[in-house]
């Protein structure tokens, strides 16, 4: 099973005997509200047109708990997450396909959560909604209740201490933009910079201009150049565990397992006692 699916493959599967559950997770990090402009409204975008049969999932409310000491998008309460997935029709024995507006970050967050909590068959629509060439719907589906019960894996998740340790013993990738990693700008969090030892690896460089992932062989070569080998333990973080999930997805496309530090920089930088590195040097 691959971690991504093309629009043509999805269209074919939707006409089959066991079509996948479709989740629409349109979301984007927006600073518009701080500037006095309306914030991005994923639910309104969904209502204006979505792939027929897709159910809207709210990243901020259903794929994360409230912001706090553990970052801007901490892990959701698993009972509430499971209930949200069942309302959307998610069952353990039925494949799931997730998409967003094209950036891929929000879809990857849903993919990662479902995979980490035990769903065996989840894929992300490569290129998101812009890659879909079929008709759109404005109707709201009412799927039958699913049976998915989250059962978190023992591996695949890092806390702050584990991320710091992995930066010394393996490879910890920072999925944010390079200027945030270097500490040149920090539009969201308390302080700029990166976890000491982490390697800059902007997840935007894992995709082409159309938002689709680079071929697996190119992704593998990219991560190899960043220090990832076959026996390397790999972790990823970002600002709040969203774009980092996209990098974990890119690693999966390349055939490389990786863990996610969900709290990411928003958690790490909120504690003044934690060290901060700046500049291009990982240390």
């Amino acid at each position: 099973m691959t971690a991504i699916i093309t629009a043509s493959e999805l269209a074919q599967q939707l006409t089959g005997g066991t079509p996948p559950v479709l989740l629409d997770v349109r979301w984007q990090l927006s600073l518009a509200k701080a500037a006095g402009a309306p914030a991005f409204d994923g639910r309104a975008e969904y209502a204006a047109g979505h792939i027929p049969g897709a159910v809207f999932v709210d990243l901020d409310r259903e794929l994360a708990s409230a912001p706090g000491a553990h970052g801007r998008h901490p892990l959701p309460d698993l009972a509430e997450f499971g209930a949200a997935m069942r309302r959307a029709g998610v069952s353990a024995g039925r494949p799931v396909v997730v998409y967003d507006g094209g950036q891929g970050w929000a879809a990857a967050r849903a993919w990662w959560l479902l995979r980490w909590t035990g769903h065996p068959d989840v894929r992300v629509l490569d290129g998101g909604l812009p890659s879909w060439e079929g008709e759109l719907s404005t109707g709201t589906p009412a799927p039958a209740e699913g049976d998915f019960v989250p059962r978190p894996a023992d591996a695949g998740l890092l806390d702050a201490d584990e991320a710091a340790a992995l930066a010394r013993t393996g490879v910890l990738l920072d999925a944010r933009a390079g200027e945030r990693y270097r500490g040149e700008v920090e539009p969201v969090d308390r302080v700029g910079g990166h976890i000491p030892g982490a390697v800059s690896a902007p997840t935007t460089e894992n995709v082409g201009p159309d938002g689709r992932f680079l071929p697996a062989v190119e992704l593998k070569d990219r991560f190899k150049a960043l220090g990832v080998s076959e026996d390397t333990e790999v972790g990823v973080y970002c600002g709040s565990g969203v774009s980092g999930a996209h990098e974990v997805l890119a690693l999966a496309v390349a055939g490389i397992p990786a863990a996610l530090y969900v709290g990411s920089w928003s958690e790490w930088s909120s504690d003044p006692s934690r060290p901060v590195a700046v500049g291009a040097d990982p240390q």
Side-chain angles (χ1 to χ4, degrees):
M1 188 194 73
T2 60
I4 57 176
I5 185 171
T6 67
S8 60
E9 290 170 337
L10 175 58
Q12 185 176 20
Q13 291 190 11
L14 288 174
T15 63
T18 307
V21 173
L22 272 177
L23 304 180
D24 182 313
V25 196
R26 271 179 275 183
W27 170 94
Q28 65 185 41
L29 177 63
S30 175
L31 304 179
K33 191 174 181 180
F40 177 82
D41 188 340
R43 191 176 294 277
E45 295 287 326
Y46 167 85
H50 51 267
I51 298 177
V55 176
F56 180 72
V57 173
D58 189 319
L59 185 148
D60 290 318
R61 292 181 173 88
E62 296 173 323
L63 304 182
S65 53
H70 293 295
R72 282 192 306 281
H73 292 103
L75 286 174
D77 176 270
L78 290 182
E80 294 180 6
F81 169 66
M85 293 298 98
R86 290 190 294 275
R87 285 195 302 272
V90 175
S91 292
R94 186 176 172 189
V96 177
V97 172
V98 191
Y99 71 89
D100 58 23
Q103 188 180 45
W105 297 4
R109 171 73 175 220
W111 168 85
W112 180 84
L113 269 171
L114 282 164
R115 293 291 293 145
W116 177 66
T117 54
H119 198 288
D121 190 351
V122 189
R123 283 172 289 175
V124 169
L125 176 58
D126 195 19
L129 188 61
S131 72
W132 179 253
E133 296 181 353
E135 64 178 16
L136 298 180
S137 170
T138 57
T140 302
E145 183 88 358
D147 64 15
F148 178 69
V149 177
R151 294 183 174 88
D154 294 330
L157 176 68
L158 301 172
D159 62 20
D161 291 339
E162 291 165 339
L166 185 56
R168 298 189 298 271
T169 62
V171 174
L172 181 65
L173 301 175
D174 185 319
R176 298 172 301 158
E179 57 268 26
R180 290 185 70 189
Y181 170 89
R182 295 187 296 271
E184 296 166 0
V185 299
E186 183 43 65
V188 188
D189 294 311
R190 185 185 66 84
V191 63
H194 58 270
I195 297 173
V199 177
S200 180
T203 200
T204 52
E205 296 179 15
N206 293 318
V207 299
D210 59 0
R212 292 179 173 89
F213 281 104
L214 300 176
V217 65
E218 293 184 25
L219 289 171
K220 193 167 186 177
D221 287 344
R222 182 195 183 212
F223 293 122
K224 182 178 180 181
L226 293 170
V228 177
S229 61
E230 290 185 2
D231 57 352
T232 306
E233 186 178 0
V234 183
V236 181
Y237 76 96
C238 57
S240 63
V242 179
S243 66
H246 188 263
E247 184 122 295
V248 173
L249 177 58
L251 285 154
V253 172
I256 302 166
L260 178 65
Y261 171 27
V262 173
S264 286
W265 190 248
S266 58
E267 178 187 43
W268 182 276
S269 64
S270 68
D271 183 347
S273 70
R274 293 194 183 108
V276 171
V278 296
D281 190 327
Q283 304 300 328

